Amino acid sequence: EALNFTLNHDDGSTISRLEDADIILVGISRTGKTPTCLYLSLRYGVRAANFPLTEEDLEELHLPTSLKPYRDKLFGLTTEPTRLQQIRQERLPNSRYASLEQCEYETRQAEALFRKLGISYLQSTLKSVEEIAATIIDMAGLEAVKSPYRVPIHT
């Protein structure tokens, strides 16, 4: 159920049933929202949605209207601008989207928005998806669901 919820609520694709989300990850493009949500649902049974912040959201330092009722479920992800540029360069080489200036701007604005609205957030640059998910579980005070389908953790 958690995995289906997460797949149906990837990248803001639908806003229906957001009230059923355990957590909604928000952030700029390529900060690891989707893999983190998938891991949260598979490993912990968390109904995780994710929603991208747009340039308009960043310029005006406001949340998308559809997220405002769920502010208590929001958790932000961010990353170092230089790492973001590398990731985006692989996706769209030599574009404005991948420029260091754009990556710095988006990161700075997203973090300012999170601070302004009191949204907890995590800088994911040097963390594995497992570490990001475990930190979110802890910081957001989520309770993991015991699931027979959990992804095993090898130590």
Side-chain angles (χ1 to χ4, degrees), residues 6-7 9-14 27 29-30 33-34 49-53:
T6 296
L7 290 171
H9 293 83
D10 182 43
D11 210 24
S13 59
T14 183
S29 172
R30 313 284 7 110
K33 297 181 303 295
T34 295
N50 76 75
F51 210 94
L53 294 174

Side-chain angles (χ1 to χ4, degrees), residues 43-55:
R43 174 69 175 103
Y44 296 105
V46 169
R47 291 179 310 260
N50 76 75
F51 210 94
L53 294 174
T54 66
E55 197 146 350

Side-chain angles (χ1 to χ4, degrees), residues 55-118:
E55 197 146 350
E56 180 184 322
D57 301 327
L58 297 174
E59 285 172 10
E60 299 178 15
L61 286 183
H62 70 72
L63 284 177
T65 304
S66 56
L67 293 182
K68 288 180 182 176
Y70 310 108
R71 202 162 134 190
D72 61 326
K73 296 182 179 197
L74 301 181
F75 194 97
L77 284 183
T78 186
T79 191
E80 287 286 331
T82 52
R83 179 65 183 134
L84 183 60
Q85 179 195 27
Q86 292 169 342
I87 294 166
R88 287 182 173 186
Q89 192 69 18
E90 291 293 320
R91 187 173 170 97
L92 288 170
N94 304 315
S95 64
R96 178 178 170 267
Y97 168 77
S99 73
L100 183 57
E101 180 180 50
Q102 183 68 19
C103 293
E104 288 172 338
Y105 169 76
E106 289 183 28
T107 301
R108 183 176 56 251
Q109 290 299 101
E111 290 176 359
L113 175 63
F114 299 150
R115 285 190 302 272
K116 174 184 170 186
L117 299 177

Side-chain angles (χ1 to χ4, degrees), residues 33-49:
K33 297 181 303 295
T34 295
T36 301
C37 283
L38 289 171
Y39 191 82
L40 283 166
S41 68
L42 286 169
R43 174 69 175 103
Y44 296 105
V46 169
R47 291 179 310 260

